[in-house]
Amino acid sequence: MDLLRFITAGSVDDGKSTLIGRLLYDTDSIKVDQLETIQKQSKNKGEGEIDLALFTDGLRAEREQGITIDVAYKYFATDKRKFIIADAPGHIQYTRNMVTGASNSDLIIILIDARLGVIEQTRRHSIIASLLQLPHVVVTINKMDMVDYSEEVFNSIVEEYSKMAATLNIKDVTFIPISALKGDNIVNPSENTPWYTGDTLLHLLENVDVVSDINFSESRFPVQYVIRPQSEDLHDYRGYAGKVLSGTYKKGDAVTVLPDGIESVIEAVEVHGQEVEEAFAPQSAVIRLKDDIDINRGDVIVTKTAHPKVSQDIEATICWMDNKPLVAGNKYLLQVQSRRVRCVVKEINFKLDVNTLEKHENISEAALNDVVHVTIKTASPIVYDNYLSLRANGGAILIDETAHTTVAGCMLN
């Protein structure tokens, strides 16, 4: 059974947590004791019916304020697929949380309040989805029950959003009229929207094609761990464990180990402890080579297909996530896959207005939630791809050297 990771995004009170609660509730994915607790809390609030948002608003502050603060991850499964949901905050000041949740997602659900239409946060979240190259965008127009399930309202929002999506080069967009509170078009088709003949939200989530999003032509295998048992039975065994980010690896393939550029041939491929003919993305595997060469954690094994970049001078678009501002000249650790190197942010080239995509130059520093383009110099070469061409090997993070906290998410250029 395959896995779909998706994120929900929308402005405050657009109904993100209620939507996720509805999905969990209608797919019987809630444990009995948790359901009883939520039913009791809902009763105490005097709302007369279960408060679905309480299934995801896990923090006390979130429940007290009725908002989402941190990214809340929820898991559920149907007969067709497993799901990991990232419930991202809607407030502008939590944009960094939304970027964090979206960076690992295959699909984004953007909620729009049918009464309000496309607003600033809708544009902001859509631009971030575009920057992160999320393959699938589902626009759920929520609270249709509050506009009498009006087809005209739905069509008007679809038209407005479609124009914006075209300017952002967002290609795969699906629109669904829903009421998360009432359950319209979430799991079952709604009798209140007879004019809508498309998929319900769950049917779309179960059937959206994520396999075709995987790059099977350019092979990238970052080494996470070197296996050397050095026992009597496995005296000469040397295997390289990691995850196939993209492409395939077969026994007999000629490969190059980057950044040093050492060439060899695959002697064996193992998956789940068994030798197999090939491993492919996104499998975890062990690769053994014919030559006894020095390979370390963070090195990348690639086949003879198009090679990634190897450089110490890197351009990147980053989302700043630290309360302390970013200033040119600051030193950090840059982590790309399993390689971590010291680096300095040499220059802040421009700041990107995530509401308009306008570039603001002559920027001296970046503040929390700013999206900026920077030039980075690393202490040693790193192996990476342009994020826009191979997302799996184009993401990175900046880490504070002292506090060891993540201060920025990076899309390498």
PDB file of all heavy atoms in Angstrom, residues 69-93:
ATOM      1  N   ILE A  69      -1.308  26.430  15.965  1.00  0.00           N
ATOM      2  CA  ILE A  69      -0.046  27.144  16.133  1.00  0.00           C
ATOM      3  C   ILE A  69       1.093  26.366  15.507  1.00  0.00           C
ATOM      4  O   ILE A  69       1.839  26.879  14.681  1.00  0.00           O
ATOM      5  CB  ILE A  69       0.234  27.394  17.633  1.00  0.00           C
ATOM      6  CG1 ILE A  69      -0.832  28.333  18.202  1.00  0.00           C
ATOM      7  CG2 ILE A  69       1.627  27.979  17.824  1.00  0.00           C
ATOM      8  CD1 ILE A  69      -0.731  28.537  19.698  1.00  0.00           C
ATOM      9  N   ASP A  70       1.253  25.106  15.891  1.00  0.00           N
ATOM     10  CA  ASP A  70       2.339  24.310  15.349  1.00  0.00           C
ATOM     11  C   ASP A  70       1.799  23.416  14.236  1.00  0.00           C
ATOM     12  O   ASP A  70       0.597  23.306  14.052  1.00  0.00           O
ATOM     13  CB  ASP A  70       2.953  23.457  16.460  1.00  0.00           C
ATOM     14  CG  ASP A  70       4.375  23.053  16.130  1.00  0.00           C
ATOM     15  OD1 ASP A  70       4.802  23.308  14.984  1.00  0.00           O
ATOM     16  OD2 ASP A  70       5.040  22.481  16.989  1.00  0.00           O
ATOM     17  N   VAL A  71       2.713  22.786  13.485  1.00  0.00           N
ATOM     18  CA  VAL A  71       2.270  21.825  12.489  1.00  0.00           C
ATOM     19  C   VAL A  71       1.885  20.541  13.210  1.00  0.00           C
ATOM     20  O   VAL A  71       2.695  19.970  13.936  1.00  0.00           O
ATOM     21  CB  VAL A  71       3.390  21.536  11.466  1.00  0.00           C
ATOM     22  CG1 VAL A  71       2.913  20.512  10.437  1.00  0.00           C
ATOM     23  CG2 VAL A  71       3.817  22.815  10.776  1.00  0.00           C
ATOM     24  N   ALA A  72       0.646  20.117  13.044  1.00  0.00           N
ATOM     25  CA  ALA A  72       0.174  18.898  13.698  1.00  0.00           C
ATOM     26  C   ALA A  72       0.095  17.794  12.650  1.00  0.00           C
ATOM     27  O   ALA A  72      -0.527  17.975  11.603  1.00  0.00           O
ATOM     28  CB  ALA A  72      -1.191  19.131  14.327  1.00  0.00           C
ATOM     29  N   TYR A  73       0.758  16.676  12.928  1.00  0.00           N
ATOM     30  CA  TYR A  73       0.747  15.556  11.986  1.00  0.00           C
ATOM     31  C   TYR A  73      -0.255  14.502  12.448  1.00  0.00           C
ATOM     32  O   TYR A  73      -0.277  14.134  13.617  1.00  0.00           O
ATOM     33  CB  TYR A  73       2.137  14.943  11.857  1.00  0.00           C
ATOM     34  CG  TYR A  73       3.117  15.860  11.161  1.00  0.00           C
ATOM     35  CD1 TYR A  73       3.954  16.692  11.890  1.00  0.00           C
ATOM     36  CD2 TYR A  73       3.197  15.896   9.773  1.00  0.00           C
ATOM     37  CE1 TYR A  73       4.838  17.542  11.255  1.00  0.00           C
ATOM     38  CE2 TYR A  73       4.076  16.738   9.126  1.00  0.00           C
ATOM     39  CZ  TYR A  73       4.899  17.562   9.877  1.00  0.00           C
ATOM     40  OH  TYR A  73       5.774  18.406   9.240  1.00  0.00           O
ATOM     41  N   LYS A  74      -1.064  14.051  11.518  1.00  0.00           N
ATOM     42  CA  LYS A  74      -2.031  13.001  11.796  1.00  0.00           C
ATOM     43  C   LYS A  74      -1.874  11.888  10.767  1.00  0.00           C
ATOM     44  O   LYS A  74      -1.477  12.138   9.622  1.00  0.00           O
ATOM     45  CB  LYS A  74      -3.462  13.550  11.743  1.00  0.00           C
ATOM     46  CG  LYS A  74      -3.799  14.473  12.900  1.00  0.00           C
ATOM     47  CD  LYS A  74      -3.844  13.730  14.216  1.00  0.00           C
ATOM     48  CE  LYS A  74      -4.160  14.642  15.384  1.00  0.00           C
ATOM     49  NZ  LYS A  74      -4.103  13.927  16.685  1.00  0.00           N
ATOM     50  N   TYR A  75      -2.205  10.672  11.179  1.00  0.00           N
ATOM     51  CA  TYR A  75      -2.025   9.510  10.325  1.00  0.00           C
ATOM     52  C   TYR A  75      -3.344   8.752  10.235  1.00  0.00           C
ATOM     53  O   TYR A  75      -4.032   8.585  11.237  1.00  0.00           O
ATOM     54  CB  TYR A  75      -0.956   8.583  10.907  1.00  0.00           C
ATOM     55  CG  TYR A  75       0.320   9.294  11.266  1.00  0.00           C
ATOM     56  CD1 TYR A  75       0.471   9.901  12.515  1.00  0.00           C
ATOM     57  CD2 TYR A  75       1.379   9.377  10.357  1.00  0.00           C
ATOM     58  CE1 TYR A  75       1.637  10.573  12.844  1.00  0.00           C
ATOM     59  CE2 TYR A  75       2.541  10.039  10.686  1.00  0.00           C
ATOM     60  CZ  TYR A  75       2.666  10.640  11.928  1.00  0.00           C
ATOM     61  OH  TYR A  75       3.818  11.309  12.249  1.00  0.00           O
ATOM     62  N   PHE A  76      -3.687   8.315   9.036  1.00  0.00           N
ATOM     63  CA  PHE A  76      -4.827   7.424   8.888  1.00  0.00           C
ATOM     64  C   PHE A  76      -4.674   6.634   7.595  1.00  0.00           C
ATOM     65  O   PHE A  76      -3.777   6.900   6.781  1.00  0.00           O
ATOM     66  CB  PHE A  76      -6.159   8.191   8.932  1.00  0.00           C
ATOM     67  CG  PHE A  76      -6.504   8.953   7.685  1.00  0.00           C
ATOM     68  CD1 PHE A  76      -7.451   8.450   6.783  1.00  0.00           C
ATOM     69  CD2 PHE A  76      -5.916  10.173   7.409  1.00  0.00           C
ATOM     70  CE1 PHE A  76      -7.801   9.153   5.642  1.00  0.00           C
ATOM     71  CE2 PHE A  76      -6.245  10.884   6.266  1.00  0.00           C
ATOM     72  CZ  PHE A  76      -7.186  10.379   5.384  1.00  0.00           C
ATOM     73  N   ALA A  77      -5.505   5.632   7.459  1.00  0.00           N
ATOM     74  CA  ALA A  77      -5.405   4.770   6.283  1.00  0.00           C
ATOM     75  C   ALA A  77      -6.792   4.320   5.853  1.00  0.00           C
ATOM     76  O   ALA A  77      -7.714   4.204   6.670  1.00  0.00           O
ATOM     77  CB  ALA A  77      -4.528   3.555   6.581  1.00  0.00           C
ATOM     78  N   THR A  78      -6.937   4.091   4.569  1.00  0.00           N
ATOM     79  CA  THR A  78      -8.138   3.466   4.033  1.00  0.00           C
ATOM     80  C   THR A  78      -7.707   2.159   3.374  1.00  0.00           C
ATOM     81  O   THR A  78      -6.540   1.775   3.463  1.00  0.00           O
ATOM     82  CB  THR A  78      -8.828   4.384   3.002  1.00  0.00           C
ATOM     83  OG1 THR A  78      -7.954   4.541   1.863  1.00  0.00           O
ATOM     84  CG2 THR A  78      -9.128   5.753   3.603  1.00  0.00           C
ATOM     85  N   ASP A  79      -8.636   1.484   2.720  1.00  0.00           N
ATOM     86  CA  ASP A  79      -8.275   0.227   2.056  1.00  0.00           C
ATOM     87  C   ASP A  79      -7.313   0.455   0.897  1.00  0.00           C
ATOM     88  O   ASP A  79      -6.628  -0.474   0.450  1.00  0.00           O
ATOM     89  CB  ASP A  79      -9.540  -0.463   1.534  1.00  0.00           C
ATOM     90  CG  ASP A  79     -10.428  -0.953   2.672  1.00  0.00           C
ATOM     91  OD1 ASP A  79      -9.892  -1.134   3.781  1.00  0.00           O
ATOM     92  OD2 ASP A  79     -11.635  -1.122   2.440  1.00  0.00           O
ATOM     93  N   LYS A  80      -7.242   1.684   0.389  1.00  0.00           N
ATOM     94  CA  LYS A  80      -6.446   1.951  -0.811  1.00  0.00           C
ATOM     95  C   LYS A  80      -5.099   2.594  -0.536  1.00  0.00           C
ATOM     96  O   LYS A  80      -4.157   2.466  -1.313  1.00  0.00           O
ATOM     97  CB  LYS A  80      -7.232   2.860  -1.767  1.00  0.00           C
ATOM     98  CG  LYS A  80      -8.465   2.201  -2.352  1.00  0.00           C
ATOM     99  CD  LYS A  80      -9.127   3.125  -3.362  1.00  0.00           C
ATOM    100  CE  LYS A  80     -10.323   2.428  -4.016  1.00  0.00           C
ATOM    101  NZ  LYS A  80     -10.988   3.304  -4.997  1.00  0.00           N
ATOM    102  N   ARG A  81      -4.973   3.344   0.574  1.00  0.00           N
ATOM    103  CA  ARG A  81      -3.749   4.130   0.737  1.00  0.00           C
ATOM    104  C   ARG A  81      -3.574   4.548   2.183  1.00  0.00           C
ATOM    105  O   ARG A  81      -4.552   4.679   2.931  1.00  0.00           O
ATOM    106  CB  ARG A  81      -3.836   5.361  -0.179  1.00  0.00           C
ATOM    107  CG  ARG A  81      -2.692   6.305  -0.126  1.00  0.00           C
ATOM    108  CD  ARG A  81      -2.805   7.352  -1.232  1.00  0.00           C
ATOM    109  NE  ARG A  81      -2.171   6.928  -2.473  1.00  0.00           N
ATOM    110  CZ  ARG A  81      -2.206   7.606  -3.614  1.00  0.00           C
ATOM    111  NH1 ARG A  81      -2.877   8.734  -3.674  1.00  0.00           N
ATOM    112  NH2 ARG A  81      -1.590   7.156  -4.693  1.00  0.00           N
ATOM    113  N   LYS A  82      -2.284   4.772   2.563  1.00  0.00           N
ATOM    114  CA  LYS A  82      -1.971   5.373   3.860  1.00  0.00           C
ATOM    115  C   LYS A  82      -1.757   6.877   3.670  1.00  0.00           C
ATOM    116  O   LYS A  82      -1.303   7.309   2.604  1.00  0.00           O
ATOM    117  CB  LYS A  82      -0.705   4.746   4.446  1.00  0.00           C
ATOM    118  CG  LYS A  82      -0.843   3.273   4.783  1.00  0.00           C
ATOM    119  CD  LYS A  82       0.477   2.733   5.324  1.00  0.00           C
ATOM    120  CE  LYS A  82       0.362   1.241   5.647  1.00  0.00           C
ATOM    121  NZ  LYS A  82       1.657   0.692   6.126  1.00  0.00           N
ATOM    122  N   PHE A  83      -2.056   7.637   4.729  1.00  0.00           N
ATOM    123  CA  PHE A  83      -1.950   9.095   4.626  1.00  0.00           C
ATOM    124  C   PHE A  83      -1.214   9.669   5.842  1.00  0.00           C
ATOM    125  O   PHE A  83      -1.388   9.201   6.962  1.00  0.00           O
ATOM    126  CB  PHE A  83      -3.337   9.739   4.571  1.00  0.00           C
ATOM    127  CG  PHE A  83      -4.190   9.263   3.428  1.00  0.00           C
ATOM    128  CD1 PHE A  83      -5.072   8.200   3.591  1.00  0.00           C
ATOM    129  CD2 PHE A  83      -4.104   9.867   2.182  1.00  0.00           C
ATOM    130  CE1 PHE A  83      -5.860   7.755   2.549  1.00  0.00           C
ATOM    131  CE2 PHE A  83      -4.886   9.432   1.129  1.00  0.00           C
ATOM    132  CZ  PHE A  83      -5.767   8.377   1.311  1.00  0.00           C
ATOM    133  N   ILE A  84      -0.402  10.693   5.581  1.00  0.00           N
ATOM    134  CA  ILE A  84       0.159  11.530   6.644  1.00  0.00           C
ATOM    135  C   ILE A  84      -0.287  12.959   6.350  1.00  0.00           C
ATOM    136  O   ILE A  84       0.008  13.505   5.274  1.00  0.00           O
ATOM    137  CB  ILE A  84       1.691  11.459   6.695  1.00  0.00           C
ATOM    138  CG1 ILE A  84       2.145  10.020   6.983  1.00  0.00           C
ATOM    139  CG2 ILE A  84       2.229  12.402   7.770  1.00  0.00           C
ATOM    140  CD1 ILE A  84       3.655   9.852   7.010  1.00  0.00           C
ATOM    141  N   ILE A  85      -1.005  13.546   7.298  1.00  0.00           N
ATOM    142  CA  ILE A  85      -1.531  14.906   7.109  1.00  0.00           C
ATOM    143  C   ILE A  85      -0.728  15.876   7.945  1.00  0.00           C
ATOM    144  O   ILE A  85      -0.491  15.645   9.133  1.00  0.00           O
ATOM    145  CB  ILE A  85      -2.998  15.008   7.565  1.00  0.00           C
ATOM    146  CG1 ILE A  85      -3.826  13.831   7.070  1.00  0.00           C
ATOM    147  CG2 ILE A  85      -3.604  16.330   7.106  1.00  0.00           C
ATOM    148  CD1 ILE A  85      -5.206  13.774   7.706  1.00  0.00           C
ATOM    149  N   ALA A  86      -0.315  16.974   7.341  1.00  0.00           N
ATOM    150  CA  ALA A  86       0.311  18.069   8.078  1.00  0.00           C
ATOM    151  C   ALA A  86      -0.700  19.206   8.155  1.00  0.00           C
ATOM    152  O   ALA A  86      -1.080  19.771   7.126  1.00  0.00           O
ATOM    153  CB  ALA A  86       1.590  18.529   7.390  1.00  0.00           C
ATOM    154  N   ASP A  87      -1.148  19.494   9.367  1.00  0.00           N
ATOM    155  CA  ASP A  87      -2.109  20.585   9.572  1.00  0.00           C
ATOM    156  C   ASP A  87      -1.312  21.838   9.900  1.00  0.00           C
ATOM    157  O   ASP A  87      -0.825  21.997  11.015  1.00  0.00           O
ATOM    158  CB  ASP A  87      -3.058  20.223  10.715  1.00  0.00           C
ATOM    159  CG  ASP A  87      -4.082  21.314  10.989  1.00  0.00           C
ATOM    160  OD1 ASP A  87      -4.286  22.164  10.105  1.00  0.00           O
ATOM    161  OD2 ASP A  87      -4.657  21.324  12.093  1.00  0.00           O
ATOM    162  N   ALA A  88      -1.158  22.738   8.923  1.00  0.00           N
ATOM    163  CA  ALA A  88      -0.297  23.909   9.091  1.00  0.00           C
ATOM    164  C   ALA A  88      -1.084  25.100   9.616  1.00  0.00           C
ATOM    165  O   ALA A  88      -2.270  25.253   9.318  1.00  0.00           O
ATOM    166  CB  ALA A  88       0.359  24.273   7.767  1.00  0.00           C
ATOM    167  N   PRO A  89      -0.437  25.975  10.388  1.00  0.00           N
ATOM    168  CA  PRO A  89      -1.117  27.159  10.916  1.00  0.00           C
ATOM    169  C   PRO A  89      -1.533  28.117   9.806  1.00  0.00           C
ATOM    170  O   PRO A  89      -0.906  28.177   8.749  1.00  0.00           O
ATOM    171  CB  PRO A  89      -0.049  27.808  11.801  1.00  0.00           C
ATOM    172  CG  PRO A  89       0.979  26.760  12.008  1.00  0.00           C
ATOM    173  CD  PRO A  89       0.958  25.887  10.809  1.00  0.00           C
ATOM    174  N   GLY A  90      -2.560  28.903  10.083  1.00  0.00           N
ATOM    175  CA  GLY A  90      -3.035  29.850   9.088  1.00  0.00           C
ATOM    176  C   GLY A  90      -2.523  31.262   9.271  1.00  0.00           C
ATOM    177  O   GLY A  90      -2.550  32.057   8.341  1.00  0.00           O
ATOM    178  N   HIS A  91      -2.032  31.584  10.483  1.00  0.00           N
ATOM    179  CA  HIS A  91      -1.579  32.946  10.728  1.00  0.00           C
ATOM    180  C   HIS A  91      -0.324  33.286   9.910  1.00  0.00           C
ATOM    181  O   HIS A  91       0.529  32.417   9.693  1.00  0.00           O
ATOM    182  CB  HIS A  91      -1.256  33.145  12.210  1.00  0.00           C
ATOM    183  CG  HIS A  91      -2.482  33.325  13.054  1.00  0.00           C
ATOM    184  ND1 HIS A  91      -3.331  32.287  13.359  1.00  0.00           N
ATOM    185  CD2 HIS A  91      -3.000  34.420  13.641  1.00  0.00           C
ATOM    186  CE1 HIS A  91      -4.325  32.733  14.119  1.00  0.00           C
ATOM    187  NE2 HIS A  91      -4.152  34.027  14.300  1.00  0.00           N
ATOM    188  N   ILE A  92      -0.201  34.545   9.519  1.00  0.00           N
ATOM    189  CA  ILE A  92       0.954  34.986   8.745  1.00  0.00           C
ATOM    190  C   ILE A  92       2.245  34.715   9.504  1.00  0.00           C
ATOM    191  O   ILE A  92       3.248  34.300   8.915  1.00  0.00           O
ATOM    192  CB  ILE A  92       0.826  36.490   8.420  1.00  0.00           C
ATOM    193  CG1 ILE A  92      -0.312  36.714   7.419  1.00  0.00           C
ATOM    194  CG2 ILE A  92       2.128  37.040   7.854  1.00  0.00           C
ATOM    195  CD1 ILE A  92      -0.595  38.176   7.135  1.00  0.00           C
ATOM    196  N   GLN A  93       2.245  34.925  10.841  1.00  0.00           N
ATOM    197  CA  GLN A  93       3.485  34.771  11.605  1.00  0.00           C
ATOM    198  C   GLN A  93       3.937  33.327  11.714  1.00  0.00           C
ATOM    199  O   GLN A  93       5.002  33.059  12.242  1.00  0.00           O
ATOM    200  CB  GLN A  93       3.356  35.377  13.002  1.00  0.00           C
ATOM    201  CG  GLN A  93       2.342  34.712  13.899  1.00  0.00           C
ATOM    202  CD  GLN A  93       1.011  35.433  13.902  1.00  0.00           C
ATOM    203  OE1 GLN A  93       0.554  35.876  12.854  1.00  0.00           O
ATOM    204  NE2 GLN A  93       0.409  35.548  15.057  1.00  0.00           N
TER     205      GLN A  93
END
